[in-house]
Amino acid sequence: VGPSTGRFLFFCTPSSSLEGKRTTEGSNRSFPHTLQTMGSERPRRRWLTLASLSWALLSLGFLSGVAQRADFSPDEPLRRLSFGSCNDQKKDQAIWEPIVAGNPDVWLWLGDNIYTDTKQSSFPKVFSTASIEEMRAMYARQKAQPGYVALRQRVGKIVGTWDDHDYGLDDAGKELAWKDESQELFMDFFDIPRDSALRKRKGVYSAHVFGPPGKRVKLLILDTRYHRDPIFSNGDVLGEEQWRWLEEELVTSDAQVNIIASSIQFLPNHHATLCPLCYIKNSPFKVETWCHFARERQRLVDLINRHRVSGVLMLSGDVHLGEMLESYPACLLPYSLHELTSSGMTHAAATSYPPMTLEIMKRVSPNPFSLGMVLDKNYGQLDFEWEGRPKVTLSLRGVEGMAALEREVFLDTLAYPSEGEEGEEIPSKAAHCVPEADFHWMKRCRFVIVIALIVSVQVLAVIALLRYCVLSLLSLRRKQKKV
């Protein structure tokens, strides 16, 4: 734990349990992707028609009977915010049970709320895309999911953003041809009124304020897809219009807590520690992060510092694991910048990769900001206490609803020093301030080095065993000939 940041409780971190052209049917638009059509067109059209009808009924509330919790008021102090990401509508969603039981005031979707694309190949990584009608049906399926229906009946407010898979295609940015049509589906899924100003924006970013003066939380939800340049370009992430909006929201904020929600991680650079696996074209090991856009990352830090915005917390998703992170005081901000990542509501690293590999990653891979990981399916939770010394408790929880990682952060520690008062000084090259990409290559790549050594030993062992077997067989045959 860093200085003046409360206490950090570690409960458990499980080490086991991560092109062509087609014209869309019924549309004049073409979408770049690869897709195999299964079955006849007539059943497929019937299925899409029924799904579209279900979507329309769900949007009007006829099928789900959904209504927001009657006792929720955004003017009352926020008690609990829960969030999650990476939710495949085709997979089991048992995780809704503890989320609903927790009775959050607000539910925040942090991207990959559904999966509209399908993996065709892992190496090289190739995904196929869905048509707009197929995407509409996928959203309808998620909206009718019983666990999510139960949440919608009990939660006070549902907000969110998207990431690549619900946006339309793995790792896609501003180049996606059908992003405007995808945005319409996104707005329908969140029941945004037709005359809302949100529907006129280029992107799905939004701001939400909860609580009275003195007990106020401002939630700023970013869109890291619609305007984003290609990875490794060091170009734009948010686009100028969104940057102007974000600055205005931060400058005018009178909130005690300013939550910035991003679909991709802000502090860590896991990608840099996977060298050289991450630099192979279409590599399945490529990890998206703000660190690919160093200029934009620094721009956000400078924006917060220039306007002396206190109470900033970061939330993120995307990476199929949960993680609690902290940038210590004077590394980026005068106070600790905390980031809570929750990813993997229906699938997570523990069910995608060998347990030994994940355990090595946890123990060996350098990450100066990480306070712990959760490799199983998880969701995030923020609990606010406004009486006495106000604080927020950050936690990552599994399918049983128990905290796997938990930490208390007192709000008075998330503040700029008063005029004339000096903040804590930490040398810029202190170990916990140096980003992963600036490490010596042997430290930065040690996870890959260890894996390579283990694989090499195993290969050599197999070769030695084969050699022994061959020599033994030849020796046996020589003896048989002599006899």
Side-chain angles (χ1 to χ4, degrees), residues 261-307:
S262 164
S263 66
I264 57 175
Q265 287 189 304
F266 184 80
L267 288 178
N269 189 357
H270 296 301
H271 184 92
T273 66
L274 294 174
C275 46
L277 300 176
C278 56
Y279 297 109
I280 303 171
K281 185 177 181 180
N282 294 327
S283 169
F285 302 103
K286 186 165 58 179
V287 182
E288 293 185 281
T289 167
W290 278 77
C291 294
H292 291 309
F293 304 89
R295 186 184 62 188
E296 293 281 272
R297 185 175 183 268
Q298 187 60 45
R299 182 174 179 176
L300 180 52
V301 172
D302 292 343
L303 177 61
I304 296 170
N305 281 322
R306 184 165 63 251
H307 297 291

Side-chain angles (χ1 to χ4, degrees), residues 55 109 113 139 142-143 148 185-191:
W55 171 266
W109 283 108
N113 312 323
Y139 271 120
Q142 179 57 42
K143 208 165 187 179
Y148 186 53
L185 297 181
F186 176 94
M187 294 292 172
D188 291 343
F189 179 69
F190 282 87
D191 299 320

Side-chain angles (χ1 to χ4, degrees), residues 208-441:
H208 309 270
V209 178
F210 306 98
K215 299 179 179 180
R216 181 161 288 171
V217 175
K218 191 166 197 175
L219 174 60
L220 301 170
I221 306 174
L222 306 182
D223 182 338
T224 62
R225 291 292 161 188
Y226 193 97
H227 301 280
R228 201 209 69 187
D229 285 323
I231 300 177
F232 305 122
S233 68
N234 199 21
D236 290 336
V237 174
L238 303 183
E240 286 305 316
E241 183 180 344
Q242 188 175 179
W243 274 115
R244 287 193 294 271
W245 164 84
L246 179 59
E247 182 167 16
E248 182 179 357
E249 292 291 345
L250 289 174
V251 168
T252 59
S253 177
D254 62 350
Q256 282 62 56
V257 181
N258 292 285
I259 301 172
I260 300 177
S262 164
S263 66
I264 57 175
Q265 287 189 304
F266 184 80
L267 288 178
N269 189 357
H270 296 301
H271 184 92
T273 66
L274 294 174
C275 46
L277 300 176
C278 56
Y279 297 109
I280 303 171
K281 185 177 181 180
N282 294 327
S283 169
F285 302 103
K286 186 165 58 179
V287 182
E288 293 185 281
T289 167
W290 278 77
C291 294
H292 291 309
F293 304 89
R295 186 184 62 188
E296 293 281 272
R297 185 175 183 268
Q298 187 60 45
R299 182 174 179 176
L300 180 52
V301 172
D302 292 343
L303 177 61
I304 296 170
N305 281 322
R306 184 165 63 251
H307 297 291
R308 298 174 63 86
V309 183
S310 295
V312 174
L313 298 172
M314 299 288 300
L315 302 181
S316 56
D318 177 57
V319 287
H320 295 191
L321 55 84
E323 190 168 20
M324 194 170 285
L325 305 116
E326 177 186 7
S327 172
Y328 294 140
C331 287
L332 296 176
L333 306 179
Y335 57 86
S336 286
L337 178 59
H338 300 269
E339 179 174 350
L340 187 62
T341 300
S342 175
S343 174
M345 294 176 64
T346 59
H347 52 292
T351 55
S352 303
Y353 298 99
M356 184 182 74
T357 302
L358 295 175
E359 191 62 31
I360 293 172
M361 178 192 72
K362 283 169 49 183
R363 295 176 181 273
V364 175
S365 185
N367 185 348
F369 307 110
S370 185
L371 302 176
M373 292 182 176
V374 175
L375 302 177
D376 275 307
K377 290 182 280 190
N378 63 88
Y379 66 96
Q381 186 168 290
L382 278 66
D383 291 297
F384 298 88
E385 295 183 36
W386 298 103
E387 303 306 320
R389 187 185 180 190
K391 65 180 179 180
V392 56
T393 301
L394 314 175
S395 63
L396 289 169
R397 297 172 180 269
V399 292
E400 302 298 327
M402 302 298 293
L405 289 174
E406 186 171 84
R407 193 178 203 197
E408 291 181 343
V409 178
F410 290 95
L411 302 190
D412 57 12
T413 66
L414 305 180
Y416 278 78
S418 303
E419 293 294 336
E421 180 182 345
E422 292 295 328
E424 182 175 353
E425 291 187 7
I426 295 181
S428 60
K429 292 299 181 181
H432 48 265
C433 287
V434 179
E436 297 92 327
D438 291 342
F439 287 161
H440 185 276
W441 72 269

